[in-house]
Amino acid sequence: PEATALVFDGQDTSYGEFAAQVNRLARYLIANGVGPEQTVAVAMRRSNSLMVALYAVLQAGGAYVPIDPDHPDERIAHILRSSDPLLLLVAAENDISAGHGRAVMALDALDLAAYSSAPIGQDERHGTLLPEHPAYVLYTSGSTGQPKGVVISHRSVVNQMAWMRGQYDLGASDTALQKTPFTFDASVWELFLPMQLGARLVIARPDGHLDPAYLMATAAEYGVAILE
């Protein structure tokens, strides 16, 4: 629990701290109706809060719908209409508070102190979470028409992570870099593989994926073992 899980903006977060934050938010989401086969839209820029939000949605049993708050309002509105999320998780600085008819919850404004930080029990969820249940809904670019949502199951994500664990010699002493926007499928292994291994995940600044020099300097500074 004392090992470093995340590094962002010069601040370290341990596995114990991260788990506590995730579990508190997951219980809040469960209390607000989130469960298996329900979607939660997450509109945040890359940060510790984004990681907590994604893991909490999954712990609650729901599926996350990634939304780039810098995308055009028309695209955001289409994704919210078609994915029909129960609610929208945002950060206070994101200017999409209208929510297009959805309940909006600003993560950094929530008081979660009353919720337990203990691991989530299966009996706390709204139904049994199964391997075939959705883990996330990712939208295509829309280059050939309206963006289309692709539903990915927990089973599929676990299969990819298991393949990568067998393919690459990575472990708890390694460091990975989370730099792919979470609206792209290449982000999935960055988000979930390092945490399965007990490794350290360095989170690039929100616009960092656009700057190769920054990415290389960050990779060198933290001794990043794998970079896609």
Side-chain angles (χ1 to χ4, degrees):
E2 294 78 23
T4 299
L6 304 174
V7 179
F8 178 68
D9 197 24
Q11 299 295 316
D12 292 1
T13 301
S14 72
Y15 271 90
E17 292 168 335
F18 180 68
Q21 293 168 19
V22 167
N23 292 333
R24 286 193 177 98
L25 179 58
R27 284 190 169 85
Y28 175 86
L29 295 175
I30 291 170
N32 282 272
V34 176
E37 299 189 280
Q38 290 187 321
T39 55
V40 175
V42 179
M44 296 182 181
R45 297 177 180 88
R46 197 160 36 238
S47 63
N48 270 22
S49 294
L50 173 61
M51 292 292 295
V52 171
L54 298 182
Y55 273 73
V57 171
L58 295 173
Q59 284 279 26
Y64 71 87
V65 181
I67 293 178
D68 186 337
D70 297 316
H71 276 170
D73 190 68
E74 183 177 302
R75 178 183 174 91
I76 293 174
H78 168 71
I79 291 174
L80 290 174
R81 281 195 305 270
S82 60
S83 64
D84 194 25
L86 184 66
L87 53 90
L88 173 61
L89 280 176
V90 303
E93 73 272 14
N94 293 348
D95 187 23
I96 56 171
S97 57
H100 300 277
R102 308 294 164 181
V104 179
M105 297 178 178
L107 180 54
D108 36 10
L110 295 177
D111 183 1
L112 303 175
Y115 294 91
S116 170
S117 62
I120 303 293
Q122 181 60 54
D123 59 345
E124 295 183 69
R125 298 190 180 101
H126 299 293
T128 302
L129 181 60
L130 302 173
E132 58 266 27
H133 280 148
Y136 65 91
V137 181
L138 200 67
Y139 275 74
T140 62
S141 65
S143 57
T144 58
Q146 283 276 34
K148 298 174 181 63
V150 180
V151 180
I152 307 297
S153 69
H154 282 265
R155 188 194 310 276
S156 296
V157 178
V158 170
N159 184 56
Q160 183 192 12
M161 297 305 104
W163 177 84
M164 291 195 73
R165 289 182 70 161
Q167 189 74 13
Y168 300 104
D169 183 21
L170 298 170
S173 61
D174 287 312
T175 298
L177 179 63
Q178 206 292 294
K179 51 84 179 170
T180 305
F182 78 137
T183 52
F184 289 89
D185 59 358
S187 69
V188 175
W189 77 262
E190 295 177 353
L191 295 169
F192 301 116
L193 181 65
M195 308 293 277
Q196 279 198 356
L197 301 171
R200 180 177 64 163
L201 183 62
V202 175
I203 303 173
R205 69 192 186 204
D207 61 350
H209 59 284
L210 302 174
D211 186 346
Y214 162 78
L215 292 177
M216 295 308 296
T218 302
E221 178 183 356
Y222 290 99
V224 169
I226 181 171
L227 187 64
E228 182 177 312

